[in-house]
Amino acid sequence: MEKVRVALPTFEVFRAEGGIRVEGGKGFNRVEIRSLTARDLKEGYAVFKTSPAGKPFGRFHTERWSILGIFDNLSRAYEVAKREGGTYRNWVEGWGGHLEVFVNGQRWEVESPFRFEGEVWVEDVWVGRGFHWQRRERAFYKGVFYAYAWGRGVKVVLEVPLEEYVAAVASSEMHPEAPAEALKAQIVAARTNLFRTAGKHHPNEPYDVCAEDHCQVFRGFHVLKGDVLNLSAETAGEIILYAGEPIEARYSKSCGGITEEFSVVWGEEDKPYSPSFRDWEREDGHSASSEEGFRRFYPVEDSFCNVEFHGIENLYRWEISYTQEELTERLKHLGVGKVLHIVPLKRGRSGRIYELSVLGLECERRVKGEYRIRELLGKPFLPSSAFLVEKERGKFVFRGMGWGHGVGMCQMGAIGMAKRGHSYREILEHYYRGGVITRL
Ligand SMILES: [Zn+2]
Ligand SMILES: [Zn+2]
């Protein structure tokens, strides 16, 4: 199976339970390995082997690595590795420097990169850093690791089979109990994004993609559940092409009934395969880009994403309100004084506002960008920027549609389509217009 090399999230400290510890950013490079069965320790290179070998993937046993030895030169390490059935051909050269390696408290200096294999739980890994959902979590990784001396710190790259990577990405992006056809659509989208970005975003670095939003979020294998690995195998190698190139397969939780265009959300050029369209069996002429259009569309119930699923709030429609005092307090950093009106100025076809006026007693301020608008008015974040503002009995009431940016595949809609009997191919053809599903 093809492999993918993922740079794990950048962190100040990479702390792992009973496994590896990597520290960086403090003027030294350091990798610490604990709880290993050490034998035959000699200065130099370490060779590791997971035990027992060949376990089924995705069952989270926490075997420790065993260390086969630390050697004073690389060829001796290769020799032992070979004798023990290891494969150590993948050392990458060119990222020089030395790493300090601590094994059971003992210090060794090794050349970068330092390669090891195993299964490991890591504490406090950032997820979604820089976004409103940012948090830290405990992450599980398994595969071949490379620790690089990187500037003044350490970068850890994980090498894993491609289909396992894709299954893990898809499991963290969609509820693992979603219908199989919806999950398969998500898997093909994740694989497409991998092929679109691999080697392009980080052309001079010794990995294919990073694990963050910049390339595609990979949280580790603790998220892998249910049948996702089998579903990934069922669609193995399939990606979506447009004009011969992998598409930028965007997706969000719920479009709210009409999908949005790239330019509205990211200010970039629109993509021919991601136009705005009705998330339904047929086009019915609705557009929510004007205030009247928005009001006409708001009560419409016929949409794939208007679906019941596992009691998850689908946010097809939602409502949030503020008193004038609350809103004034919330927006005081804008310096407009007491808030009098919130006026949408520009909307995309899905109704998503990308320019807004906040009129206060002292002045007016304009706010641009759907993400910025959601951040500005949410508690702590609005589900989407597709909303109406109405004043009712002294309150500002926001009535909204959808969840997320609304571009590309609507994930609740994919679930809705699967529940109505559509296949993953039909789901992908609906959301990525003119995209051709191709097996590599
Ligand atoms: Zn990246
Ligand atoms: Zn939708």
Side-chain angles (χ1 to χ4, degrees):
M1 196 191 277
E2 233 179 308
K3 299 280 170 85
V4 56
R5 290 165 60 99
V6 191
L8 299 183
T10 44
F11 22 67
E12 291 83 49
V13 180
F14 182 114
R15 260 177 290 142
E17 204 175 82
I20 179 161
R21 174 183 164 91
V22 179
E23 279 185 30
K26 289 175 189 152
F28 63 93
N29 302 315
R30 175 187 245 217
V31 182
E32 186 169 317
I33 297 161
R34 290 169 290 156
S35 310
L36 292 165
T37 325
R39 358 170 209 149
D40 196 25
L41 287 179
K42 282 179 199 153
E43 195 155 4
Y45 297 85
V47 179
F48 299 103
K49 188 185 178 188
T50 43
S51 143
K55 282 199 78 65
F57 188 76
R59 288 163 209 278
F60 303 139
H61 299 292
T62 52
E63 291 88 9
R64 304 296 181 225
W65 311 308
S66 51
I67 185 168
L68 301 178
I70 291 186
F71 306 94
D72 56 7
N73 66 65
L74 192 52
S75 50
R76 175 78 186 123
Y78 273 113
E79 208 177 284
V80 172
K82 217 171 151 190
R83 194 182 70 214
E84 297 286 334
T87 52
Y88 292 86
R89 282 161 301 190
N90 293 329
W91 292 72
V92 174
E93 282 157 9
W95 272 266
H98 285 79
L99 291 158
E100 275 183 298
V101 178
F102 292 83
V103 181
N104 298 333
Q106 276 186 280
R107 178 188 174 280
W108 311 94
E109 199 170 287
V110 297
E111 264 178 49
S112 167
F114 180 66
R115 181 194 191 281
F116 52 97
E117 302 186 38
E119 300 187 348
V120 66
W121 283 96
V122 182
E123 301 294 334
D124 292 338
V125 181
W126 279 108
V127 183
R129 184 142 64 165
F131 292 91
H132 67 281
W133 62 84
Q134 77 166 32
R135 62 177 195 282
R136 287 170 180 268
E137 71 175 359
R138 195 163 177 263
F140 179 72
Y141 300 112
K142 173 185 166 144
V144 178
F145 298 78
Y146 297 85
Y148 288 88
W150 201 270
R152 283 157 61 85
V154 175
K155 189 177 281 293
V156 178
V157 172
L158 175 64
E159 183 179 79
V160 288
L162 190 147
E163 293 301 335
E164 291 174 11
Y165 163 86
V166 165
V169 170
S171 322
S172 74
E173 293 295 333
M174 190 179 271
H175 197 291
E177 281 159 53
E181 296 303 306
L183 279 167
K184 279 154 78 176
Q186 183 72 54
I187 288 165
V188 175
R191 194 183 294 111
T192 303
N193 287 330
L194 171 67
F195 278 89
R196 186 183 172 82
T197 53
K200 296 194 183 85
H201 287 184
H202 305 276
N204 300 314
E205 287 162 33
Y207 52 87
D208 303 309
V209 283
C210 68
E212 297 180 73
D213 193 74
H214 173 259
C215 286
Q216 178 156 246
V217 177
F218 167 77
R219 284 165 52 197
F221 292 113
H222 55 295
V223 296
L224 198 55
K225 288 191 201 97
D227 210 22
V228 183
L229 208 48
N230 291 332
L231 296 176
S232 170
E234 281 177 34
T235 65
E238 289 182 355
I239 63 168
I240 312 159
L241 300 180
Y242 187 92
E245 289 292 320
I247 66 163
E248 193 169 337
R250 292 281 183 168
Y251 44 84
S252 68
K253 282 280 184 285
S254 167
C255 69
I258 303 174
T259 67
E260 194 47 89
E261 296 170 301
F262 265 73
S263 56
V264 167
V265 178
W266 297 291
E268 296 170 15
E269 219 176 283
D270 283 322
K271 311 285 182 206
Y273 48 80
S274 277
S276 171
F277 53 87
R278 270 285 282 128
D279 194 11
W280 187 232
E281 302 283 3
R282 60 191 169 274
E283 278 295 335
D284 55 15
H286 276 294
S287 163
S289 60
S290 66
E291 297 301 298
E292 315 82 77
F294 195 110
R295 274 171 215 282
R296 264 200 308 279
F297 184 62
Y298 193 80
V300 169
E301 290 183 357
D302 284 343
S303 294
F304 289 130
C305 41
N306 187 14
V307 65
E308 288 297 316
F309 174 70
H310 273 267
I312 295 174
E313 206 182 347
N314 64 28
L315 298 179
Y316 180 66
R317 298 290 179 263
W318 48 264
E319 191 177 311
I320 288 173
S321 63
Y322 293 94
T323 63
Q324 189 173 37
E325 293 68 40
E326 284 168 346
L327 201 56
T328 298
E329 175 62 25
R330 178 156 187 96
L331 302 182
K332 72 175 178 206
H333 62 286
L334 294 179
V336 297
K338 191 172 188 174
V339 177
L340 303 176
H341 297 287
I342 304 271
V343 186
L345 298 176
K346 289 180 184 163
R347 291 183 187 274
R349 285 196 57 207
S350 76
R352 281 172 175 78
I353 301 166
Y354 60 101
E355 193 172 339
L356 180 95
S357 159
V358 180
L359 188 66
L361 206 54
E362 282 154 38
C363 65
E364 183 216 12
R365 284 260 185 273
R366 295 198 170 187
V367 182
K368 291 182 183 177
E370 70 93 44
Y371 190 85
R372 175 101 176 78
I373 291 167
R374 288 163 66 195
E375 192 174 38
L376 187 76
L377 294 167
K379 289 179 177 177
F381 212 87
L382 281 186
S384 83
S385 75
F387 56 82
L388 284 171
V389 194
E390 286 165 324
K391 278 197 266 180
E392 290 171 9
R393 285 188 235 109
K395 281 196 157 186
F396 287 81
V397 182
F398 296 78
R399 291 201 170 86
M401 313 196 287
W403 182 5
H405 54 65
V407 177
M409 183 165 70
C410 171
Q411 294 171 303
M412 291 309 295
I415 290 171
M417 284 188 78
K419 286 180 84 171
R420 295 172 68 90
H422 291 282
S423 70
Y424 76 98
R425 288 179 163 266
E426 288 170 332
I427 295 171
L428 293 169
E429 282 158 10
H430 172 70
Y431 290 113
Y432 302 114
R433 300 285 162 106
V436 180
I437 302 164
T438 311
R439 189 177 286 261
L440 291 170

